[in-house]
Amino acid sequence: MDLLIHQNPVAFKFEISKKMSATSFAGCALIREAIKRLGLRDIMKSFSLKKMGYADEVICEALILLMASGGRCLSDWEYLKGEMGFDRMFGGACPSVDTLERYLRRLYVTAPERKSEAGQVGYTTLLEDLQRILIRKAWKKIGSPRKMTLDLDAMILETNKADALYCYEKVKAYQPMNAYCPELGMVLAHEFRDGNVSPREGYQRILERCRKLLPKVRWIVRSDSAGYNNDFLDWMTGERIAYVMTAPETEALDAGLAQKPTWLPLIPDGINLGEEIAEILYTPTFKSREELHKRMNERRYFLLRKTVGQQDLFPVQQLIVTNDLVSSREKIIKKHRGRCGSVEYFHSQTHQLGMDLLPSNSFKVNCAWYGLGCVTHNLLRLLQHHLFPKDWKNMEIRTLRFRFLRSVAMVLQKARRVILRFCENHPIVPIYTQAWQRLDALTG
């Protein structure tokens, strides 16, 4: 016979203590320590944007901690610094919300050279120095691989800001372009853009910045059909950069199907997905016979379709183009489909760092906010991959925040040191202790 377990009723009482100095964001102490040991704090000091008042590193750290802690807007900083324990952990000198916004306006925005004049495009130059430290550290920690993947994609940040412009989906939005590396779990470069900027613009600019960042790496570029541009594809082939991307289907469907291609079952990793694949001869646009001959011999095109009902009803699902002339069909398709699992995941994670609610009507402020969001994302990923347990490696940022950053501790000051006092049986204690020890190896 099963025995029922009954819970005793609990009588709650509300009390207020004037002397208790506690914080519910004790995990932020590890972030501050990592910022100092990785040398990010010294880079922030070199910004030299402030002549008086709060120093550059104080404000930059405040913004990073705000995003990491789950703040969705600048005004959430008032809640954070209102905790006596957080104020003490931060150093007892928390800037105001107005100070944070004014500082975002000071961060320099680089506007790259463009052929089009539609909309604004830029990225925060000073923050690139912070990104360089985080990315190169992560690259060395995984063994400095010579081959890595780069997923290029634009994301739509829908907004109701008065100065926002309409994107191709006919909603007001900003449309940043990102270069995401799944091996590092980091965004290597980005451009913040107005909504009316073409999603086809700037692929080569972004890729060139990534190559300068890690010049010893040979990249495999993946993209959707927005990246399909003959000049861009020719440039990558000339630079010995491998690519596999979606091609516009409307240009090749009639030509491909008219050839009556040989359809073969697509069975990646021995799993029949109910799809078929056919390699076709497709003639891309050209200006001369030499250009046509070159493009025909440097590219492979594949048609994909679902195997349904009758032969005449097979719908074409996708057209893939690559300059990989050696790999098997299954390997190429598997490589291309990995993009959706990585770059779309990155887009979802940035929304968990306050990117879904931009703080200002000013393009410059929003550009700086997005840049700091990318820095915060990369910093958290670096700590997550190398300081925390292995089963935390694929954890979402909001889960990491719930389990680690939002841990409760008493904050004390003694002998010029800040002491975090946890409950003895708190589940975060062994993880926090291990992470603090591994920080020495990470920053050594």
Side-chain angles (χ1 to χ4, degrees), residues 368-397:
W369 177 262
Y370 187 84
L372 278 165
C374 291
V375 172
T376 305
H377 174 274
N378 289 351
L379 176 59
L380 289 177
R381 288 305 185 209
L382 181 65
L383 302 184
Q384 180 179 355
H385 291 173
H386 301 289
L387 300 188
F388 298 137
K390 291 183 179 180
D391 57 348
W392 284 27
K393 187 173 182 179
N394 297 322
M395 189 180 292
E396 289 196 5
I397 287 177

mmCIF file of all heavy atoms in Angstrom, residues 368-397:
data_model
loop_
_atom_site.group_PDB
_atom_site.id
_atom_site.type_symbol
_atom_site.label_atom_id
_atom_site.label_comp_id
_atom_site.label_asym_id
_atom_site.label_seq_id
_atom_site.Cartn_x
_atom_site.Cartn_y
_atom_site.Cartn_z
ATOM 1 N N ALA A 368 25.865 50.654 -29.890
ATOM 2 C CA ALA A 368 26.770 50.371 -28.768
ATOM 3 C C ALA A 368 26.181 49.313 -27.842
ATOM 4 O O ALA A 368 26.899 48.438 -27.343
ATOM 5 C CB ALA A 368 27.048 51.657 -27.999
ATOM 6 N N TRP A 369 24.884 49.380 -27.593
ATOM 7 C CA TRP A 369 24.203 48.382 -26.746
ATOM 8 C C TRP A 369 24.332 46.984 -27.355
ATOM 9 O O TRP A 369 24.630 46.015 -26.659
ATOM 10 C CB TRP A 369 22.742 48.787 -26.593
ATOM 11 C CG TRP A 369 21.880 47.836 -25.814
ATOM 12 C CD1 TRP A 369 21.049 46.878 -26.326
ATOM 13 C CD2 TRP A 369 21.730 47.755 -24.389
ATOM 14 N NE1 TRP A 369 20.398 46.206 -25.322
ATOM 15 C CE2 TRP A 369 20.801 46.726 -24.118
ATOM 16 C CE3 TRP A 369 22.287 48.455 -23.325
ATOM 17 C CZ2 TRP A 369 20.429 46.379 -22.826
ATOM 18 C CZ3 TRP A 369 21.907 48.108 -22.036
ATOM 19 C CH2 TRP A 369 20.993 47.095 -21.797
ATOM 20 N N TYR A 370 24.125 46.890 -28.665
ATOM 21 C CA TYR A 370 24.236 45.589 -29.324
ATOM 22 C C TYR A 370 25.681 45.076 -29.286
ATOM 23 O O TYR A 370 25.927 43.886 -29.067
ATOM 24 C CB TYR A 370 23.758 45.684 -30.769
ATOM 25 C CG TYR A 370 23.677 44.339 -31.454
ATOM 26 C CD1 TYR A 370 22.560 43.526 -31.303
ATOM 27 C CD2 TYR A 370 24.728 43.873 -32.245
ATOM 28 C CE1 TYR A 370 22.487 42.288 -31.919
ATOM 29 C CE2 TYR A 370 24.659 42.640 -32.861
ATOM 30 C CZ TYR A 370 23.538 41.846 -32.691
ATOM 31 O OH TYR A 370 23.482 40.613 -33.295
ATOM 32 N N GLY A 371 26.644 45.971 -29.481
ATOM 33 C CA GLY A 371 28.046 45.566 -29.415
ATOM 34 C C GLY A 371 28.430 45.041 -28.049
ATOM 35 O O GLY A 371 29.140 44.036 -27.919
ATOM 36 N N LEU A 372 27.964 45.717 -26.993
ATOM 37 C CA LEU A 372 28.233 45.237 -25.637
ATOM 38 C C LEU A 372 27.514 43.919 -25.372
ATOM 39 O O LEU A 372 28.016 43.077 -24.619
ATOM 40 C CB LEU A 372 27.798 46.299 -24.620
ATOM 41 C CG LEU A 372 28.795 47.426 -24.382
ATOM 42 C CD1 LEU A 372 28.132 48.589 -23.649
ATOM 43 C CD2 LEU A 372 29.998 46.925 -23.577
ATOM 44 N N GLY A 373 26.350 43.729 -25.998
ATOM 45 C CA GLY A 373 25.662 42.449 -25.867
ATOM 46 C C GLY A 373 26.475 41.316 -26.456
ATOM 47 O O GLY A 373 26.519 40.208 -25.898
ATOM 48 N N CYS A 374 27.141 41.568 -27.586
ATOM 49 C CA CYS A 374 28.005 40.546 -28.195
ATOM 50 C C CYS A 374 29.211 40.253 -27.314
ATOM 51 O O CYS A 374 29.630 39.096 -27.185
ATOM 52 C CB CYS A 374 28.447 41.004 -29.582
ATOM 53 S SG CYS A 374 27.115 41.065 -30.817
ATOM 54 N N VAL A 375 29.783 41.287 -26.699
ATOM 55 C CA VAL A 375 30.900 41.080 -25.764
ATOM 56 C C VAL A 375 30.452 40.238 -24.578
ATOM 57 O O VAL A 375 31.137 39.297 -24.155
ATOM 58 C CB VAL A 375 31.466 42.434 -25.290
ATOM 59 C CG1 VAL A 375 32.483 42.234 -24.177
ATOM 60 C CG2 VAL A 375 32.110 43.183 -26.448
ATOM 61 N N THR A 376 29.283 40.574 -24.015
ATOM 62 C CA THR A 376 28.753 39.826 -22.874
ATOM 63 C C THR A 376 28.497 38.372 -23.254
ATOM 64 O O THR A 376 28.804 37.444 -22.494
ATOM 65 C CB THR A 376 27.458 40.479 -22.366
ATOM 66 O OG1 THR A 376 27.690 41.856 -22.077
ATOM 67 C CG2 THR A 376 26.954 39.780 -21.113
ATOM 68 N N HIS A 377 27.919 38.156 -24.434
ATOM 69 C CA HIS A 377 27.662 36.800 -24.908
ATOM 70 C C HIS A 377 28.957 35.996 -24.994
ATOM 71 O O HIS A 377 29.050 34.860 -24.499
ATOM 72 C CB HIS A 377 26.986 36.861 -26.279
ATOM 73 C CG HIS A 377 26.809 35.520 -26.933
ATOM 74 N ND1 HIS A 377 27.802 34.941 -27.698
ATOM 75 C CD2 HIS A 377 25.780 34.641 -26.930
ATOM 76 C CE1 HIS A 377 27.386 33.761 -28.147
ATOM 77 N NE2 HIS A 377 26.159 33.564 -27.695
ATOM 78 N N ASN A 378 29.989 36.563 -25.601
ATOM 79 C CA ASN A 378 31.256 35.841 -25.759
ATOM 80 C C ASN A 378 31.940 35.588 -24.429
ATOM 81 O O ASN A 378 32.550 34.532 -24.227
ATOM 82 C CB ASN A 378 32.176 36.626 -26.690
ATOM 83 C CG ASN A 378 31.713 36.594 -28.134
ATOM 84 O OD1 ASN A 378 30.793 35.857 -28.483
ATOM 85 N ND2 ASN A 378 32.335 37.384 -28.973
ATOM 86 N N LEU A 379 31.856 36.546 -23.511
ATOM 87 C CA LEU A 379 32.447 36.361 -22.187
ATOM 88 C C LEU A 379 31.759 35.227 -21.444
ATOM 89 O O LEU A 379 32.421 34.351 -20.849
ATOM 90 C CB LEU A 379 32.356 37.659 -21.386
ATOM 91 C CG LEU A 379 32.841 37.607 -19.934
ATOM 92 C CD1 LEU A 379 34.304 37.192 -19.863
ATOM 93 C CD2 LEU A 379 32.634 38.958 -19.246
ATOM 94 N N LEU A 380 30.428 35.205 -21.468
ATOM 95 C CA LEU A 380 29.696 34.128 -20.795
ATOM 96 C C LEU A 380 29.991 32.775 -21.428
ATOM 97 O O LEU A 380 30.112 31.760 -20.732
ATOM 98 C CB LEU A 380 28.196 34.416 -20.844
ATOM 99 C CG LEU A 380 27.693 35.564 -19.973
ATOM 100 C CD1 LEU A 380 26.199 35.770 -20.178
ATOM 101 C CD2 LEU A 380 27.984 35.307 -18.498
ATOM 102 N N ARG A 381 30.103 32.726 -22.751
ATOM 103 C CA ARG A 381 30.417 31.462 -23.420
ATOM 104 C C ARG A 381 31.821 30.979 -23.058
ATOM 105 O O ARG A 381 32.043 29.776 -22.873
ATOM 106 C CB ARG A 381 30.303 31.624 -24.935
ATOM 107 C CG ARG A 381 28.889 31.752 -25.440
ATOM 108 C CD ARG A 381 28.037 30.596 -24.991
ATOM 109 N NE ARG A 381 26.695 30.634 -25.557
ATOM 110 C CZ ARG A 381 25.637 30.131 -24.974
ATOM 111 N NH1 ARG A 381 25.744 29.558 -23.794
ATOM 112 N NH2 ARG A 381 24.451 30.184 -25.540
ATOM 113 N N LEU A 382 32.769 31.881 -22.968
ATOM 114 C CA LEU A 382 34.132 31.499 -22.578
ATOM 115 C C LEU A 382 34.148 30.891 -21.186
ATOM 116 O O LEU A 382 34.767 29.843 -20.951
ATOM 117 C CB LEU A 382 35.049 32.725 -22.645
ATOM 118 C CG LEU A 382 36.515 32.484 -22.289
ATOM 119 C CD1 LEU A 382 37.183 31.552 -23.299
ATOM 120 C CD2 LEU A 382 37.282 33.807 -22.208
ATOM 121 N N LEU A 383 33.461 31.529 -20.249
ATOM 122 C CA LEU A 383 33.399 31.004 -18.884
ATOM 123 C C LEU A 383 32.617 29.697 -18.849
ATOM 124 O O LEU A 383 32.990 28.749 -18.133
ATOM 125 C CB LEU A 383 32.745 32.035 -17.961
ATOM 126 C CG LEU A 383 33.413 33.416 -17.888
ATOM 127 C CD1 LEU A 383 32.698 34.294 -16.863
ATOM 128 C CD2 LEU A 383 34.885 33.306 -17.542
ATOM 129 N N GLN A 384 31.538 29.627 -19.604
ATOM 130 C CA GLN A 384 30.691 28.436 -19.598
ATOM 131 C C GLN A 384 31.436 27.216 -20.118
ATOM 132 O O GLN A 384 31.324 26.119 -19.572
ATOM 133 C CB GLN A 384 29.455 28.697 -20.458
ATOM 134 C CG GLN A 384 28.480 27.530 -20.527
ATOM 135 C CD GLN A 384 27.276 27.860 -21.376
ATOM 136 O OE1 GLN A 384 27.120 28.976 -21.847
ATOM 137 N NE2 GLN A 384 26.415 26.890 -21.592
ATOM 138 N N HIS A 385 32.242 27.383 -21.159
ATOM 139 C CA HIS A 385 32.934 26.256 -21.779
ATOM 140 C C HIS A 385 34.160 25.800 -21.006
ATOM 141 O O HIS A 385 34.564 24.637 -21.124
ATOM 142 C CB HIS A 385 33.349 26.622 -23.203
ATOM 143 C CG HIS A 385 32.187 26.754 -24.133
ATOM 144 N ND1 HIS A 385 32.315 27.222 -25.427
ATOM 145 C CD2 HIS A 385 30.865 26.496 -23.975
ATOM 146 C CE1 HIS A 385 31.130 27.235 -26.008
ATOM 147 N NE2 HIS A 385 30.239 26.806 -25.149
ATOM 148 N N HIS A 386 34.759 26.698 -20.210
ATOM 149 C CA HIS A 386 36.047 26.359 -19.606
ATOM 150 C C HIS A 386 36.082 26.432 -18.074
ATOM 151 O O HIS A 386 37.084 26.052 -17.481
ATOM 152 C CB HIS A 386 37.132 27.285 -20.168
ATOM 153 C CG HIS A 386 37.269 27.195 -21.667
ATOM 154 N ND1 HIS A 386 37.802 26.093 -22.303
ATOM 155 C CD2 HIS A 386 36.906 28.055 -22.650
ATOM 156 C CE1 HIS A 386 37.793 26.289 -23.612
ATOM 157 N NE2 HIS A 386 37.250 27.471 -23.851
ATOM 158 N N LEU A 387 35.026 26.919 -17.443
ATOM 159 C CA LEU A 387 35.023 27.004 -15.981
ATOM 160 C C LEU A 387 33.976 26.109 -15.335
ATOM 161 O O LEU A 387 34.169 25.656 -14.200
ATOM 162 C CB LEU A 387 34.776 28.451 -15.525
ATOM 163 C CG LEU A 387 35.776 29.520 -15.958
ATOM 164 C CD1 LEU A 387 35.475 30.829 -15.245
ATOM 165 C CD2 LEU A 387 37.213 29.097 -15.704
ATOM 166 N N PHE A 388 32.904 25.848 -16.018
ATOM 167 C CA PHE A 388 31.775 25.138 -15.425
ATOM 168 C C PHE A 388 31.786 23.659 -15.815
ATOM 169 O O PHE A 388 32.542 23.239 -16.695
ATOM 170 C CB PHE A 388 30.466 25.802 -15.827
ATOM 171 C CG PHE A 388 30.337 27.222 -15.353
ATOM 172 C CD1 PHE A 388 29.835 28.217 -16.178
ATOM 173 C CD2 PHE A 388 30.740 27.573 -14.073
ATOM 174 C CE1 PHE A 388 29.722 29.527 -15.738
ATOM 175 C CE2 PHE A 388 30.632 28.872 -13.626
ATOM 176 C CZ PHE A 388 30.126 29.852 -14.458
ATOM 177 N N PRO A 389 30.957 22.830 -15.174
ATOM 178 C CA PRO A 389 30.910 21.394 -15.503
ATOM 179 C C PRO A 389 30.634 21.143 -16.982
ATOM 180 O O PRO A 389 30.014 21.961 -17.672
ATOM 181 C CB PRO A 389 29.765 20.878 -14.627
ATOM 182 C CG PRO A 389 29.696 21.845 -13.482
ATOM 183 C CD PRO A 389 30.065 23.177 -14.050
ATOM 184 N N LYS A 390 31.094 19.989 -17.480
ATOM 185 C CA LYS A 390 30.966 19.671 -18.903
ATOM 186 C C LYS A 390 29.511 19.622 -19.358
ATOM 187 O O LYS A 390 29.196 19.982 -20.489
ATOM 188 C CB LYS A 390 31.657 18.343 -19.203
ATOM 189 C CG LYS A 390 33.175 18.401 -19.083
ATOM 190 C CD LYS A 390 33.797 17.069 -19.468
ATOM 191 C CE LYS A 390 35.322 17.139 -19.378
ATOM 192 N NZ LYS A 390 35.949 15.843 -19.746
ATOM 193 N N ASP A 391 28.620 19.146 -18.476
ATOM 194 C CA ASP A 391 27.215 19.053 -18.885
ATOM 195 C C ASP A 391 26.535 20.413 -18.913
ATOM 196 O O ASP A 391 25.348 20.505 -19.247
ATOM 197 C CB ASP A 391 26.456 18.092 -17.964
ATOM 198 C CG ASP A 391 26.531 18.494 -16.501
ATOM 199 O OD1 ASP A 391 27.346 19.376 -16.164
ATOM 200 O OD2 ASP A 391 25.777 17.936 -15.692
ATOM 201 N N TRP A 392 27.243 21.481 -18.572
ATOM 202 C CA TRP A 392 26.720 22.840 -18.690
ATOM 203 C C TRP A 392 27.119 23.490 -20.021
ATOM 204 O O TRP A 392 26.719 24.610 -20.309
ATOM 205 C CB TRP A 392 27.240 23.722 -17.554
ATOM 206 C CG TRP A 392 26.575 23.481 -16.239
ATOM 207 C CD1 TRP A 392 25.990 22.327 -15.808
ATOM 208 C CD2 TRP A 392 26.432 24.406 -15.172
ATOM 209 N NE1 TRP A 392 25.509 22.476 -14.543
ATOM 210 C CE2 TRP A 392 25.755 23.741 -14.117
ATOM 211 C CE3 TRP A 392 26.816 25.733 -14.986
ATOM 212 C CZ2 TRP A 392 25.456 24.360 -12.914
ATOM 213 C CZ3 TRP A 392 26.529 26.357 -13.789
ATOM 214 C CH2 TRP A 392 25.844 25.676 -12.758
ATOM 215 N N LYS A 393 27.905 22.798 -20.855
ATOM 216 C CA LYS A 393 28.495 23.417 -22.037
ATOM 217 C C LYS A 393 27.449 23.904 -23.027
ATOM 218 O O LYS A 393 27.616 24.960 -23.647
ATOM 219 C CB LYS A 393 29.430 22.414 -22.719
ATOM 220 C CG LYS A 393 30.236 23.014 -23.863
ATOM 221 C CD LYS A 393 31.256 22.034 -24.400
ATOM 222 C CE LYS A 393 32.083 22.670 -25.503
ATOM 223 N NZ LYS A 393 33.101 21.732 -26.035
ATOM 224 N N ASN A 394 26.363 23.164 -23.198
ATOM 225 C CA ASN A 394 25.333 23.528 -24.163
ATOM 226 C C ASN A 394 24.127 24.205 -23.515
ATOM 227 O O ASN A 394 23.065 24.301 -24.127
ATOM 228 C CB ASN A 394 24.875 22.285 -24.926
ATOM 229 C CG ASN A 394 25.995 21.670 -25.738
ATOM 230 O OD1 ASN A 394 26.811 22.381 -26.321
ATOM 231 N ND2 ASN A 394 26.050 20.348 -25.773
ATOM 232 N N MET A 395 24.305 24.668 -22.319
ATOM 233 C CA MET A 395 23.214 25.283 -21.570
ATOM 234 C C MET A 395 22.869 26.659 -22.130
ATOM 235 O O MET A 395 23.743 27.420 -22.546
ATOM 236 C CB MET A 395 23.632 25.401 -20.099
ATOM 237 C CG MET A 395 22.558 25.807 -19.142
ATOM 238 S SD MET A 395 23.241 25.886 -17.462
ATOM 239 C CE MET A 395 23.572 24.156 -17.151
ATOM 240 N N GLU A 396 21.591 26.982 -22.165
ATOM 241 C CA GLU A 396 21.175 28.311 -22.597
ATOM 242 C C GLU A 396 21.577 29.351 -21.563
ATOM 243 O O GLU A 396 21.757 29.046 -20.382
ATOM 244 C CB GLU A 396 19.662 28.353 -22.809
ATOM 245 C CG GLU A 396 19.198 27.582 -24.022
ATOM 246 C CD GLU A 396 17.783 27.950 -24.426
ATOM 247 O OE1 GLU A 396 17.211 28.879 -23.807
ATOM 248 O OE2 GLU A 396 17.261 27.323 -25.351
ATOM 249 N N ILE A 397 21.689 30.592 -22.011
ATOM 250 C CA ILE A 397 22.143 31.658 -21.126
ATOM 251 C C ILE A 397 21.167 31.874 -19.976
ATOM 252 O O ILE A 397 21.575 32.095 -18.838
ATOM 253 C CB ILE A 397 22.348 32.958 -21.928
ATOM 254 C CG1 ILE A 397 23.612 32.827 -22.783
ATOM 255 C CG2 ILE A 397 22.453 34.170 -21.010
ATOM 256 C CD1 ILE A 397 23.895 34.006 -23.668
#
